[in-house]
Amino acid sequence: MRTLHTERMVLEPVDAKNARDLWGVLNAPDLRKYQDIPRVRAEEFERQVRARPKLMRANATGRFEWLLRAGTPLAPVGWISLRIGDRAPRIGEVGYSLIMEARSHGYASEALQAVIDEAFGEVELDEVQACIVPENVASRRVLDRTGFREERMLGGGAVIRGHHVDVLLFSVSRAEWSRARSAGASGVMHG
Ligand SMILES: CC(C)(COP(=O)(O)OP(=O)(O)OC[C@H]1O[C@@H](n2cnc3c(N)ncnc32)[C@H](O)[C@@H]1OP(=O)(O)O)[C@@H](O)C(=O)NCCC(=O)NCCS
């Protein structure tokens, strides 16, 4: 995995060095309403992070995650993840969150565009998906802005706080990304 730089942010691969920073973000208020975030102690979280795959390239599978840093000085504002399953290694699923103070600045959309570019450009995925609960309008706007299409409702498609809930599946294909890129929509720089 590599560090991604956007106009205003640094997307730092999550590893043992910054796992505690991410753990702090994960435990910020108002992140659990629309998604399931397991509550684990910092030491256990660090152990889980150490076990994750480190190389992100074609045919890699597992959970890849970046800590989002923004502002002056740069400080943790959220995270974004790309999960690639063993059963469909050409499809990735993104997830993202921002702490309250960092919302409504366009950071989530900016980070998501960078990860989509990485997923199609470097890992050569065919499709990137995202699932949201229908009432998560802020997240839907992020997906609309970054070129995702609504596909269908998945009945009981996620578990949030122990309950099965319906989720909307969104996706963007490599061809759609490529067309948008030719039209000049990408904003990521590598470093
Ligand atoms: C989902 C979530 C990340 C969306 O955050 P967000 O701040 O609304 O999204 P962005 O960071 O892309 O910001 C977009 C907003 O910033 C505004 N904005 C302000 N300044 C901006 C700038 N300089 N550039 C771009 N956008 C800017 C945009 O107009 C937009 O507002 P709008 O949605 O009202 O039109 C956030 O609500 C969150 O973390 N929620 C809790 C966790 C969660 O639900 N995660 C998703 C699970 S699927």
Side-chain angles (χ1 to χ4, degrees):
M1 282 180 82
R2 55 186 183 167
T3 303
L4 306 178
H5 297 264
T6 67
E7 204 179 319
R8 298 176 295 169
M9 305 170 74
V10 176
L11 281 64
E12 205 176 84
V14 172
D15 58 19
K17 288 195 291 296
N18 58 13
R20 297 256 171 162
D21 283 345
L22 176 58
W23 186 82
V25 171
L26 285 166
N27 287 288
D30 198 44
L31 288 180
R32 289 184 155 81
K33 190 169 170 194
Y34 298 130
Q35 61 188 344
D36 209 35
I37 302 177
R39 287 186 191 275
V40 293
R41 294 165 63 92
E43 298 74 23
E44 167 60 12
F45 183 67
E46 210 177 302
R47 195 194 60 72
Q48 290 173 5
V49 164
R50 280 181 200 279
R52 289 183 188 173
K54 291 175 182 57
L55 283 180
M56 200 174 132
R57 57 180 177 204
N59 298 318
T61 59
R63 182 184 173 90
F64 301 94
E65 192 162 35
W66 292 262
L67 181 70
L68 308 180
R69 292 191 189 272
T72 317
L74 283 172
V77 294
W79 81 87
I80 185 158
S81 61
L82 178 70
R83 207 154 40 88
I84 307 173
D86 295 329
R87 279 188 291 176
R90 308 280 299 179
I91 299 178
E93 183 184 340
V94 286
Y96 43 80
S97 287
L98 295 174
I99 57 171
M100 282 289 263
E101 310 84 283
R103 294 182 195 168
S104 299
H105 291 88
Y107 289 147
S109 306
E110 195 170 311
L112 181 54
Q113 188 60 60
V115 168
I116 294 169
D117 290 348
E118 190 72 352
F120 289 126
E122 288 301 310
V123 196
E124 299 175 11
L125 296 184
D126 292 335
E127 186 173 298
V128 176
Q129 300 181 336
C131 287
I132 63 166
V133 293
E135 56 271 35
N136 195 348
V137 289
S139 190
R140 177 191 280 266
R141 282 200 293 268
V142 170
L143 296 173
D144 286 342
R145 248 179 249 119
T146 46
F148 282 78
R149 254 176 318 103
E150 183 180 326
E151 291 236 359
R152 61 183 185 279
M153 184 74 89
L154 303 177
V159 177
I160 298 181
R161 290 185 299 276
H163 297 284
H164 283 277
V165 296
D166 298 343
V167 287
L168 283 169
L169 172 68
F170 283 71
S171 73
V172 57
S173 69
R174 163 183 285 282
E176 288 163 334
W177 167 78
S178 203
R179 277 197 294 278
R181 201 173 151 86
S182 307
S186 172
V188 71
M189 296 166 275
H190 298 296

